[in-house]
Amino acid sequence: MEAVHIRIHGIVQGVGFRPFVHRLVREHDLAGSIRNTSSGVELELEGERRALEAFVQALPKRAPKLALIEQIETEWGLPPRGRKDFQILQSHAEEKRNTLVSPDIGICEDCRRELLDPKDRRYRYPFINCTNCGPRFTIIKDLPYDRALTSMGRFPMCPDCEREYHDIENRRYHAQPDACPVCGPKVSFLDGEGREVPGDPIETARAWLKSGKILAVKGLGGVHLACLADREDLVRELRRRKERDEKPFALMCRDVQAAEQLCFVSEKERELLESFHKPIVLLRRRDRGPSPLTENGWLGVMLPYTPLHVLLFGEDLDALVMTSANLSDTPIVYRNAEALERLQGIADGFLLHDRDIQTRCDDSLCWEREGKEYFVRRSRGYVPFPVRVSGSRGGILACGAEQKASFCLSRGEYLFPSQHIGDLKNAETLEHYEQQIAHFERLFDTKPRLLVCDKHPDYLSTAYAQKRGEEEGIPVLPVQHHHAHMASCMADNGLTGPCIGLIWDGVGYGEDGGAWGGECLIGDYRSFRRFGSLRPIPLIGGDRAVKEISRVGFALLHDAGCDTRGIPNASFFETMLQKGLNCPLSSGMGRLFDGAAAILGIRETVSYEGQGAVLLEAAAEADEGSYPVALSGSPLLFDWREMVRAMVRDRDAGLPTGRIAARFLNTLVQMAVETALAAARETGLRDVVLSGGSFQNQYILDRLPIALEQAGLRPWTHHRVSCNDEGLSLGQLMIGEYHFEN
């Protein structure tokens, strides 16, 4: 007989790990104890040596699917104490925490079955959960992960739930959010004035939805605004109330079959929709005609991920608009009182509950590419899952950018990208950002020794880093925007050596103080150089041109020597260009997309960031043609003037807009390959990372990696963090890691 002490690190709390261990211990005829600690899980076992070794070998192979075992430490040869049973001990809070935290998990099939079973005691209970599903990250106040340190601490378990909680044969054995109608949270329905409406809250909400009402529905990480998706008048009214004129709305469909009525769904997309992450998946629309839901060829679709959502759909609702309850540029509403105050006049009624949300968390949004997520927004269902980087020392906080803000905190080899924060344009979003940084530092017991930020002097994230650095005596490292993008994609794919970076976005503060955004970089985490770029585009009126993209179109036409007569304000714009009045230069790829959309008559103004590029992609039709690619100079500049002249000739000759759009995009693919090949010939490098918000363009992403491979290069795209500015903080952190060591 022998005893062994085992420490297990990883995501091992809130995923049914202790019940699994209990059953495995019994299977191997062992005795001892287990407890959660701030570092993970700690075991003391005794029995025959052969049985102990078999247990240790089986542990990682048979762990629950939601668990992630990162490290197992064993101390052998301890004297046994003669224990005959196995106990789950009270959790132990250690001085130093090393545990990981599970994301929120969509409802499992067992709980769904019980939810709809009239014989089950949790029949139609909207907070049913077990060790395999339910809230995690959004209800945690602190670690270790025990009920008292979550939003469920105010709901003492009834005797029946208590018995299940301590029954090793039960699926709810040590499930911290466990509850039932007797002892758990309650749901309520209130009218537009905040008065409670009598009757079954969920059935009342269903009736109101079917009658054409717009409702606020509280979920896992915040409140949604919901209405029938097949009523154009309701969708337009929701747009009016929310002040969201054109940006696409997400849908929640009852099941995959309902989603297939609206979209094409591949087997891989189905797997992603039905996974425990339950993200919004961007699917190709069946009907490509005009729709108040979206103005492009994609619909963002998710499936019900809480029991409340399942009950809300019942068997007769197919699809609901389910969009975050917030006004433009503000964080998602997540508290009941806040919902009743801020959404008055927007929501006709409120389906709320009394389980507090500790951490607001928007729905994740992604495409499926090659069986993996390709994120637009990485949030609920994934955060705070870390990116592990071997050799990282930790202690760094990367503060991100401004648009699609996020941050990234490192503790040892674990790098924790935050959930989606939003655009840092106002005090409310900044407060949310600062609160989440403090929450992550508390959860993961880390105080930064280095702060990394964007070089842009006017970003609120940069101001946060500089102010905190001064107040707390922490060094601050400013990092160039596009270098951080390149490093982010490198880290996402585990690359360490130098590579070529095609970094395309709207704007980033350049090393020369200018606005960069269509860049080819060569470098690594240590340093970079600008190998290629776009011929700079004058932005007539400065930031005004970002919204009024016809100004960008005029600048492209004027610089290319095309006829601009008859264009509104032509003489005024020409005077500004000739005199250089408020016409800063930008090499942003996003601006080139905007200008092309304007030239083709697709759009003159935009209401949200990237809209010109979105509509240009949506307009593209099948065409294999392309326009001249003119590259010259050092850095190697893409002179788009020849392309613009060719586009205008096609336009004036009557070629359909969709074919010109396709040729424009094909030209960018060709330009990217030629630029990367030139960089490869000079350096001998073959790895090419693709990052920046412009690589959300699926037309280009479907073609460019293939073209790079055919040219003998190795393309790398994102799959663990977003390619847009939200994922940039990961790259900042990796650059900081190198500078921290040196």
Side-chain angles (χ1 to χ4, degrees):
M1 301 291 289
E2 192 175 318
V4 62
H5 185 238
I6 305 171
R7 287 180 175 269
I8 306 166
H9 305 288
I11 296 183
V12 290
Q13 296 186 24
V15 293
F17 195 79
R18 289 181 295 175
F20 150 72
V21 168
H22 196 160
R23 288 188 287 271
L24 195 62
V25 163
R26 190 170 60 180
E27 181 181 317
H28 287 83
D29 196 24
L30 302 173
S33 63
I34 186 174
R35 65 179 175 182
N36 280 348
T37 73
S38 301
S39 303
V41 165
E42 186 177 60
L43 280 163
E44 290 185 3
L45 297 178
E46 55 187 82
E48 294 184 1
R49 175 75 183 215
R50 183 180 301 175
L52 290 169
E53 290 176 345
F55 172 89
V56 172
Q57 290 179 354
L59 194 65
K61 297 176 183 177
R62 294 173 54 184
K65 67 177 182 178
L66 303 180
L68 175 67
I69 296 178
E70 291 284 4
Q71 185 180 15
I72 299 177
E73 300 175 1
T74 55
E75 184 181 355
W76 292 93
L78 302 177
R81 292 193 282 170
R83 288 175 286 198
K84 302 298 183 184
D85 59 0
F86 185 78
Q87 295 179 315
I88 294 181
L89 303 178
Q90 184 176 352
S91 298
H92 175 58
E94 298 174 327
E95 182 178 344
K96 189 67 178 173
R97 306 173 181 177
N98 289 305
T99 194
L100 301 180
V101 176
S102 167
D104 297 291
I105 301 164
I107 183 172
C108 69
E109 287 306 310
D110 288 329
C111 282
R112 179 189 289 268
R113 185 175 56 254
E114 292 174 352
L115 177 71
L116 303 177
D117 181 0
K119 297 179 182 178
D120 193 277
R121 75 184 188 90
R122 291 185 177 84
Y123 175 55
R124 294 185 57 80
Y125 181 56
F127 304 98
I128 188 172
N129 67 84
C130 67
T131 53
N132 299 318
C133 70
R136 301 292 191 271
F137 174 61
T138 54
I139 65 169
I140 290 174
K141 299 177 182 178
D142 207 343
L143 292 177
Y145 176 62
D146 283 328
R147 191 183 186 95
L149 295 178
T150 73
S151 297
M152 293 299 295
R154 58 184 284 249
F155 299 102
M157 283 187 281
C158 67
D160 287 337
C161 287
E162 191 79 38
R163 278 193 296 272
E164 291 173 334
Y165 183 84
H166 292 288
D167 180 4
I168 192 172
E169 302 297 336
N170 197 284
R171 202 174 75 255
R172 295 181 174 86
Y173 183 58
H174 279 253
Q176 302 306 329
D178 185 26
C180 75
V182 174
C183 62
K186 302 288 190 294
V187 68
S188 58
F189 187 85
L190 297 86
D191 65 17
E193 301 299 320
R195 297 175 298 234
E196 189 160 354
V197 178
D200 184 301
I202 292 177
E203 285 306 308
T204 303
R206 282 169 42 77
W208 281 44
L209 284 169
K210 286 189 271 188
S211 71
K213 303 293 187 183
I214 295 171
L215 300 187
V217 179
K218 186 177 178 181
L220 271 182
V223 177
H224 289 103
L225 290 168
C227 71
L228 295 175
D230 59 357
R231 286 272 304 272
E232 290 194 11
D233 59 327
L234 293 180
V235 178
R236 296 188 194 283
E237 176 62 14
L238 176 55
R239 287 195 177 281
R240 185 191 69 79
R241 295 186 192 181
K242 196 183 175 186
E243 300 176 10
R244 182 169 174 162
D245 293 338
E246 296 170 308
K247 198 171 183 180
F249 278 146
L251 300 185
M252 183 177 282
C253 291
R254 184 177 70 248
D255 50 31
V256 172
Q257 290 70 37
E260 287 177 326
Q261 298 302 308
L262 302 169
C263 304
F264 299 99
V265 184
S266 70
E267 187 57 36
K268 292 293 186 182
E269 288 168 337
R270 180 189 184 110
E271 290 176 7
L272 189 51
L273 282 167
E274 294 182 332
S275 71
F276 66 81
H277 301 292
K278 294 289 193 298
I280 302 171
V281 181
L282 286 155
L283 305 171
R284 292 194 182 275
R285 294 167 54 196
R286 290 186 181 274
D287 181 2
R288 294 297 297 271
S291 168
L293 296 169
T294 183
E295 54 187 359
N296 60 53
W298 304 90
L299 270 178
V301 175
M302 59 182 157
L303 301 185
Y305 55 84
T306 72
L308 185 147
H309 292 134
V310 173
L311 296 173
L312 190 61
F313 275 86
E315 297 182 358
D316 55 353
L317 290 177
D318 287 336
L320 296 172
V321 172
M322 198 69 74
T323 183
S324 298
N326 64 323
L327 294 177
S328 182
D329 296 331
T330 61
I332 185 173
V333 172
Y334 72 117
R335 292 192 174 109
N336 292 357
E338 180 187 24
L340 292 169
E341 177 185 351
R342 294 199 170 193
L343 303 178
Q344 193 171 51
I346 299 176
D348 298 315
F350 299 82
L351 184 61
L352 304 176
H353 58 74
D354 58 354
R355 185 180 67 199
D356 292 337
I357 297 171
Q358 292 299 318
T359 301
R360 59 181 129 200
C361 201
D362 284 274
D363 297 309
S364 294
L365 174 64
C366 64
W367 280 279
E368 180 277 320
R369 294 193 65 85
E370 300 177 347
K372 299 177 181 178
E373 297 89 341
Y374 190 78
F375 288 106
V376 177
R377 184 170 66 225
R378 180 185 181 272
S379 206
R380 177 195 50 78
Y382 296 92
V383 174
F385 196 79
V387 174
R388 189 177 186 187
V389 177
S390 179
S392 173
R393 288 170 39 184
I396 300 176
L397 172 65
C399 298
E402 179 175 77
Q403 289 187 328
K404 299 176 176 62
S406 75
F407 59 86
C408 191
L409 179 69
S410 65
R411 187 196 65 203
E413 295 187 340
Y414 295 116
L415 280 57
F416 298 94
S418 74
Q419 73 271 36
H420 170 78
I421 301 294
D423 293 350
L424 286 179
K425 295 180 178 179
N426 52 58
E428 187 175 2
T429 309
L430 178 63
E431 181 183 13
H432 172 40
Y433 170 83
E434 294 176 345
Q435 288 172 346
Q436 288 310 298
I437 289 176
H439 186 52
F440 269 58
E441 290 180 4
R442 183 171 62 253
L443 277 185
F444 303 118
D445 197 19
T446 296
K447 286 292 182 184
R449 293 178 285 175
L450 175 69
L451 300 170
V452 188
C453 64
D454 196 278
K455 280 192 172 182
H456 198 298
D458 297 330
Y459 283 177
L460 290 180
S461 55
T462 300
Y464 166 84
Q466 293 172 339
K467 180 182 178 183
R468 184 173 179 185
E470 291 174 4
E471 292 176 348
E472 300 181 23
I474 306 173
V476 178
L477 175 69
V479 168
Q480 200 278 324
H481 189 89
H482 300 98
H483 186 202
H485 268 303
M486 181 173 74
S488 174
C489 196
M490 289 174 61
D492 202 336
N493 290 283
L495 302 179
T496 56
C499 65
I500 299 164
L502 293 174
I503 315 300
W504 294 359
D505 64 3
V507 64
Y509 192 75
E511 293 285 73
D512 57 4
W516 291 8
E519 312 306 317
C520 176
L521 308 181
I522 295 171
D524 52 20
Y525 299 129
R526 301 171 180 81
S527 62
F528 79 98
R529 66 184 174 95
R530 192 187 196 192
F531 178 83
S533 187
L534 304 183
R535 175 182 173 85
I537 303 167
L539 301 184
I540 302 172
D543 287 343
R544 191 168 176 179
V546 177
K547 291 288 187 181
E548 298 177 18
I549 63 173
S550 59
R551 293 169 176 254
V552 185
F554 184 92
L556 296 181
L557 293 171
H558 182 272
D559 205 4
C562 298
D563 187 1
T564 57
R565 290 174 298 178
I567 297 178
N569 301 313
S571 59
F572 175 63
F573 291 160
E574 188 164 350
T575 299
M576 291 184 70
L577 287 169
Q578 289 175 346
K579 295 186 176 181
L581 297 174
N582 194 19
C583 291
L585 299 177
S586 168
S587 65
M589 184 62 73
R591 303 293 78 80
L592 188 60
F593 275 104
D594 287 343
I599 289 171
L600 296 181
I602 294 172
R603 195 78 189 192
E604 292 188 351
T605 63
V606 296
S607 61
Y608 61 89
E609 186 251 340
Q611 188 179 17
V614 166
L615 296 179
L616 187 72
E617 179 189 355
E621 299 174 357
D623 193 300
E624 297 304 316
S626 63
Y627 298 120
V629 173
L631 295 167
S632 62
S634 180
L636 191 65
L637 291 186
F638 170 48
D639 189 338
W640 38 260
R641 290 178 297 180
E642 288 189 41
M643 177 184 69
V644 168
R645 288 191 285 267
M647 290 172 63
V648 170
R649 286 195 297 270
D650 275 352
R651 182 196 66 185
D652 294 346
L655 192 71
T657 297
R659 294 183 62 187
I660 303 174
R663 291 181 180 186
F664 167 81
L665 296 171
N666 294 341
T667 305
L668 296 186
V669 170
Q670 183 181 340
M671 177 273 290
V673 173
E674 292 186 22
T675 302
L677 278 174
R681 285 192 294 269
E682 181 177 310
T683 63
L685 299 173
R686 288 291 180 267
D687 292 313
V688 182
V689 297
L690 310 180
S691 191
S694 293
F695 284 116
Q696 291 172 181
N697 186 300
Q698 297 301 295
Y699 184 101
I700 288 178
L701 210 59
D702 285 341
R703 291 161 176 78
L704 180 53
I706 295 172
L708 289 168
E709 286 180 346
Q710 291 172 342
L713 303 174
R714 287 188 295 267
W716 300 91
T717 59
H718 285 274
H719 63 94
R720 291 191 290 181
V721 297
S722 307
C723 68
N724 59 44
D725 282 6
E726 183 185 273
L728 174 148
S729 59
L730 174 63
Q732 289 179 336
L733 194 146
M734 290 302 298
I735 294 169
E737 179 74 35
Y738 170 80
H739 285 271
F740 189 65
E741 292 178 354
N742 293 272

